[in-house]
């Protein structure tokens, strides 16, 4: 995939996250590792109108230290204050190529309520159930993660898991692809919203039965691709050029 196609993919993923209400306004950003020294990341400009309206031009090539990854890349653009979220997460695990830092209200509310993300359902969302079974840890500081020290603290709190909740803040989701990073965030958000609904109805949260896991199979890459096509269709009209980066 060319650099321009990768920019278009990250921009599309930003719009998908906004359509799912995982971000609102101008806050939140996604990144994609290009090589050992550089990444593409959503940056801001004086014409920025918010994550829901991210353009490929808003996705800039930078180095892990925040400097321009090529001539002109930061002309008129500013890197996110929380670049260390992306840099430290990617540097800590070479298998990760993408990071989504998002602000889903339901996840923040569930954590502040004292709800732990648990596998409370199964076939309703099998990838989400398995994600919850492995655990979704919490970084307990509600700070702006604007330096390497705080970024490393957050990575330590992840404990090797792909998603971490940032208390009073949002989440960080890391994966081998930008599509998977966003789909993980959607699953965690769905689990949080379901838990909040149950608790608000005076219900009790219960994990699914141990015997059910044998019949909750890995649905494979085909399912992931289909799920992503659906997310793209929510934000792109049929026939739009962005469909070429849907997968």
């Amino acid at each position: 995939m060319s650099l321009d196609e990768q920019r278009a993919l990250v921009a599309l993923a930003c719009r998908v996250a906004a359509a799912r209400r995982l971000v609102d306004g101008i806050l939140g950003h996604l990144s994609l590792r290009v090589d050992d020294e550089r990444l593409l990341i959503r940056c801001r400009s004086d014409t920025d109108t918010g994550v829901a309206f991210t353009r490929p031009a808003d996705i800039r090539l930078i180095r892990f230290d925040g400097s321009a990854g090529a001539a002109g890349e930061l002309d008129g653009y500013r890197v996110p204050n929380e670049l260390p979220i992306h840099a430290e997460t990617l540097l800590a695990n070479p298998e990760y190529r993408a990071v989504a830092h998002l602000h889903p209200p339901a996840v923040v509310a569930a954590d502040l309520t004292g709800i732990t993300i648990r596998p409370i359902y199964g076939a309703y969302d099998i990838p989400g159930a398995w994600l919850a079974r492995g655990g979704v840890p919490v970084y307990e500081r509600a700070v702006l993660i604007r330096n390497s020290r705080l970024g490393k603290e957050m990575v330590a709190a992840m404990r090797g898991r792909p998603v971490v909740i940032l208390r009073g803040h949002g989440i960080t989701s890391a994966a081998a692809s930008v599509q998977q990073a966003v789909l993980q965030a959607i699953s965690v958000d769905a689990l949080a919203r379901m838990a909040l609904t149950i608790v608000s109805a005076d219900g009790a949260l219960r994990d699914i039965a141990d015997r059910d896991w044998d019949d909750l199979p890995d649905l494979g890459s085909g399912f992931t691709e289909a799920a992503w096509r659906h997310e793209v269709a929510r934000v792109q009209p049929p026939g739009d050029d962005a469909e070429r980066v849907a997968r």
Side-chain angles (χ1 to χ4, degrees), residues 107 111 116-117 131-132 134-140 154-167 170-172:
V107 179
D111 176 61
T116 299
I117 299 298
L131 182 63
V136 181
V138 177
Y139 175 55
E140 297 183 355
M154 185 207 71
V155 170
M158 291 178 81
R159 302 198 307 273
R161 298 295 299 151
V163 181
V164 62
I165 296 169
L166 315 180
R167 179 153 293 158
I171 65 171
T172 296

Side-chain angles (χ1 to χ4, degrees), residues 1 3 9 26 35 72 74 80 102 122 127 138 148 191 208:
M1 187 180 291
L3 195 61
L9 175 59
I26 63 172
D35 53 37
L74 289 179
L102 308 168
V138 177
S148 295
L191 282 157
I208 62 174

Side-chain angles (χ1 to χ4, degrees), residues 14-15 17-19 21-29 42 44 48-54 102-103 105:
C14 288
R15 299 197 298 275
R21 301 186 183 278
L22 302 178
V23 287
D24 189 28
I26 63 172
L27 300 177
H29 23 80
R42 187 189 193 280
R44 288 196 195 147
D48 188 4
T49 54
V51 181
F53 307 102
T54 302
L102 308 168
H103 292 187

Side-chain angles (χ1 to χ4, degrees), residues 118 120 194-195 197-207:
R118 296 159 49 187
I120 55 177
M194 185 70 77
T197 298
I198 293 168
V199 170
S200 67
D202 294 326
L205 300 176
R206 296 187 297 271
D207 292 2

Side-chain angles (χ1 to χ4, degrees), residues 132-218:
R133 191 188 194 195
V136 181
V138 177
Y139 175 55
E140 297 183 355
R141 302 193 65 191
V143 296
L144 195 70
I145 303 174
R146 58 181 180 173
N147 58 52
S148 295
R149 175 180 58 81
L150 293 172
K152 287 181 170 66
E153 278 187 8
M154 185 207 71
V155 170
M158 291 178 81
R159 302 198 307 273
R161 298 295 299 151
V163 181
V164 62
I165 296 169
L166 315 180
R167 179 153 293 158
H169 184 172
I171 65 171
T172 296
S173 174
S177 70
V178 69
Q179 298 96 318
Q180 187 59 34
V182 175
L183 290 172
Q184 288 173 174
I186 291 171
S187 286
V188 171
D189 181 63
L191 282 157
R193 287 188 287 108
M194 185 70 77
L196 286 168
T197 298
I198 293 168
V199 170
S200 67
D202 294 326
L205 300 176
R206 296 187 297 271
D207 292 2
I208 62 174
D210 287 343
R211 66 190 182 95
D212 289 345
W213 290 105
D214 289 340
D215 292 305
L216 292 174
D218 182 347

